[in-house]
Amino acid sequence: MNDPTETLEFQAEARQLLQLMVHSIYSNKDVFLRELISNASDALDKLRLAALVDKDLAVDTGDLHIAIEVDRDARTLTVRDNGVGMTRDEVVSVIGTIAKSGTAELLRQLREAKDAGASQELIGQFGVGFYAAFMVADRVELVTRRAGESGGTRWESTGAGTYTVAPLDDAPQGTAVTLHLKPVDDEDNLHDYTAEWTIREIVKRYSDFIAHPIRMAVQRPGEGDETTTETVTLNSMKALWARPRGEVEPAEYHEFYKHVSHDWADPLETIHMRGEGTFEYEALLFIPSHAPLDLFSPQGRRGVQLYVKRVFIMDDCDALMPNYLRFVKGVVDAHDLSLNISREILQQDRQIRAVRRRLVKKVLTTVKELKTDQPERYRTFWTEFGPAVKEGLIDDTDNRDVLLEILSVASTHDPAEHTDLAGYVGRMKDGQTDIFYATGENRATIENSPHMEAFRAKGYEVLLLTDPVDEVWVEQVGSYDGKTLRSVAKGQVDLDTEEERTEAEAERERQRAEYADLLGWMGGVLADSVKEVRLSSRLTTSPACVVGDANDITPTLEKMYRAMGHEVPKVKRILEVNPDHPLVAGLRKAHEQGGAEPSLAETAELLYGMALLAEGGDLADPSRFSRILADRLARTL
């Protein structure tokens, strides 16, 4: 009698690809079970669809399920389904994809699918994830029978040079994959995949939301030395994101949030959305009620998990959410998505970019609605996450307008409340064309800065920006609603009305003439530190302040760039002096009378040093400043 078994040989490049999959592509060997369960789930879905399409197909779809069977003594693990199954030709064609096509052909097909925008159904395709089984098994057997067919097929391989295919008369409908497991290897951290707790943990992590029950027979203690066998369902099948929002209780959302975020508190806001059309997905996102400790850590974790058809793909999917929204937690479940062959790295394709745009828009719209309808919850959000969200004003130009709408900053208008830019513009004085702002380490430092004196005296509102990112985004944005964002510490300041300007012009001309010699002399004395010394129109009580030209980089931003390793040329700033202050007037008088040059030069240094300290700056030589100041104080005693 002839043996119907066929032995087929792997091509050389196919062996190379198989070795790559087993040893290089997957970073976590546990995913082999995810792959087999996903294949089984796909087979069940296809059977249900086939039964709907073909009314003559005699199949029972009443109990579609996946079974995991373990033999600890024989060290075998079987994943079985009662799905659509395969014919012999499909076994050779589909399971033999790698063996038949080789590396070059497989990669070519992947590129063509991506270029055409087609969804290559990698999840559930044998010949790719199926071979992950050889990471944990010395030998793999597969028994399958196509629904509606009378005979089955047996496939077997050790993953080395050959595989065999043979007909089988008594195969049940569906597919069963049996893994003859490798010995437990502690050095390789290989789990015992015959252990109940190991299988439970893997299913819970990767396949908990599969729509079909995943069952396993387990042993339980009985009376005396006897044991009983019971069948348990390992997965919850409860994908909250796949249920209509009205059918989910708030407590269920909160419990799920705590599960995915490991947070102890309820979320601030829940976002449940569905994308339909050419690319379908569900998303269940959460805005936490407090910022994580690692919000500004470079190693901080993102919060969005990616599933495809309820199969877990990856944590911290940074392709789905921009960095400035890194605090958002939740799940995105795509119905069809292009992944690489390990499913562990996401392809940057148009589908993912489209999902990302929609998710970002929904999150920002939700925050905008909070701002309008629930101001207290919005204040909580902005207090916790505002500094991170402002990073989007730099990186996300597409959403800059809505980010400016939800922006909230401190202001001199109301010490107890923040304001938005629209509110500031609505309170602007007649004829005011600029939105004035000041930056610094904290509110008190800014409000006490000499730069603020004229604005306070004239009643101009100033935005008080205290986050490091503020230095950057105001420069990037530049304007709002046609109004220029202007620093109070840059450029010339002229806050007078036309009438005031006309009345004061003669006095200013007189002062410029009186102080011309002093200003020229001070410019020479301080030439190493400042580019110019001039009279100030922004000071009312302080003797001096240091300002930048309109287009100069700020000292804080200069420090930030240097801290990041960027070479930034040293920027000299401008020293402005107040002609109405007794110290400046006295210095002019002493200079005109030919006072002692070293003493006057030291006074100029002190004046410049005090201006730096008043704005929170750093002295170039603190010890010299302290010595000069101590000497001067000693002379007054």
Side-chain angles (χ1 to χ4, degrees), residues 592-605:
E592 290 176 349
Q593 294 175 352
E597 181 65 24
S599 178
L600 290 180
E602 289 180 348
T603 302
E605 285 187 57

Side-chain angles (χ1 to χ4, degrees), residues 118-130:
S119 301
Q120 188 88 348
E121 292 218 1
L122 295 177
I123 287 188
Q125 280 201 1
F126 285 81
V128 180
F130 171 78

Side-chain angles (χ1 to χ4, degrees), residues 208-442:
D208 193 47
F209 305 114
I210 290 288
H212 307 286
I214 303 171
R215 299 170 183 164
M216 184 171 67
V218 298
Q219 300 294 320
R220 294 289 182 260
E223 295 182 4
D225 295 333
E226 295 182 356
T227 60
T228 61
T229 301
E230 63 175 292
T231 300
V232 297
T233 300
L234 303 180
N235 60 323
S236 71
M237 297 177 286
K238 293 181 180 179
L240 289 188
W241 59 83
R243 293 162 54 185
R245 179 167 187 139
E247 297 179 6
V248 184
E249 296 294 328
E252 293 181 277
Y253 282 132
H254 294 173
E255 188 63 31
F256 182 75
Y257 164 73
K258 293 173 183 177
H259 169 70
V260 298
S261 68
H262 307 291
D263 194 2
W264 50 268
D266 291 338
L268 182 69
E269 192 67 18
T270 300
I271 301 171
H272 193 164
M273 61 185 292
R274 179 187 299 270
E276 298 179 341
T278 56
F279 183 70
E280 296 184 5
Y281 65 92
E282 287 100 17
L284 182 53
L285 305 177
F286 301 93
I287 298 176
S289 57
H290 61 95
L293 296 177
D294 61 357
L295 181 62
F296 295 103
S297 169
Q299 290 77 38
R301 297 184 62 192
R302 303 292 186 90
V304 178
Q305 299 176 351
L306 175 65
Y307 283 71
V308 175
K309 293 190 289 188
R310 301 195 189 183
V311 177
F312 175 78
I313 301 300
M314 68 173 70
D315 275 320
D316 309 330
C317 186
D318 56 6
L320 288 170
M321 199 64 64
N323 190 52
Y324 71 91
L325 295 178
R326 56 190 175 272
F327 52 85
V328 175
K329 309 293 183 183
V331 166
V332 173
D333 187 355
H335 292 194
D336 206 352
L337 196 62
S338 298
L339 303 174
N340 77 334
I341 56 177
S342 75
R343 301 194 205 169
E344 294 180 337
I345 302 173
L346 203 58
Q347 296 280 4
Q348 293 296 322
D349 62 13
R350 61 182 183 84
Q351 295 173 334
I352 278 297
R353 291 194 294 271
V355 174
R356 176 184 172 120
R357 285 194 298 268
R358 295 172 191 170
L359 296 179
V360 172
K361 182 178 179 180
K362 184 62 175 179
V363 170
L364 296 182
T365 300
T366 300
V367 175
K368 186 177 177 180
E369 291 171 352
L370 280 180
K371 182 173 178 286
T372 303
D373 303 330
Q374 302 182 64
E376 286 299 324
R377 292 169 68 84
Y378 166 78
R379 274 192 285 271
T380 298
F381 167 82
W382 195 260
T383 299
E384 296 294 328
F385 305 111
V389 173
K390 284 189 281 190
E391 295 172 13
L393 291 168
I394 305 167
D395 302 326
D396 191 355
T397 55
D398 292 339
N399 290 296
R400 181 173 286 174
D401 289 343
V402 67
L403 286 167
L404 288 172
E405 288 184 51
I406 65 176
L407 180 71
S408 178
V409 294
S411 162
T412 55
H413 173 69
D414 187 343
E417 296 288 341
H418 281 201
T419 185
D420 57 16
L421 294 181
Y424 181 102
V425 170
R427 295 187 294 270
M428 287 174 61
K429 291 177 174 292
D430 291 341
Q432 182 181 345
T433 59
D434 297 327
I435 298 173
F436 296 112
Y437 71 88
T439 59
E441 291 186 0
N442 54 65

Side-chain angles (χ1 to χ4, degrees), residues 421-467:
L421 294 181
Y424 181 102
V425 170
R427 295 187 294 270
M428 287 174 61
K429 291 177 174 292
D430 291 341
Q432 182 181 345
T433 59
D434 297 327
I435 298 173
F436 296 112
Y437 71 88
T439 59
E441 291 186 0
N442 54 65
R443 180 175 186 132
T445 299
I446 298 174
E447 289 187 317
N448 293 322
S449 169
H451 301 126
M452 297 286 292
E453 292 175 3
F455 295 89
R456 185 163 46 244
K458 294 287 186 178
Y460 280 87
E461 182 178 353
V462 178
L463 302 179
L464 310 176
L465 309 179
T466 57
D467 293 319

Side-chain angles (χ1 to χ4, degrees), residues 545-565:
C545 67
V546 183
V547 301
D549 271 337
N551 297 318
D552 280 353
I553 186 174
T554 65
T556 302
L557 198 54
E558 185 180 336
K559 290 179 186 177
M560 290 172 59
Y561 283 134
R562 292 185 188 280
M564 292 186 291

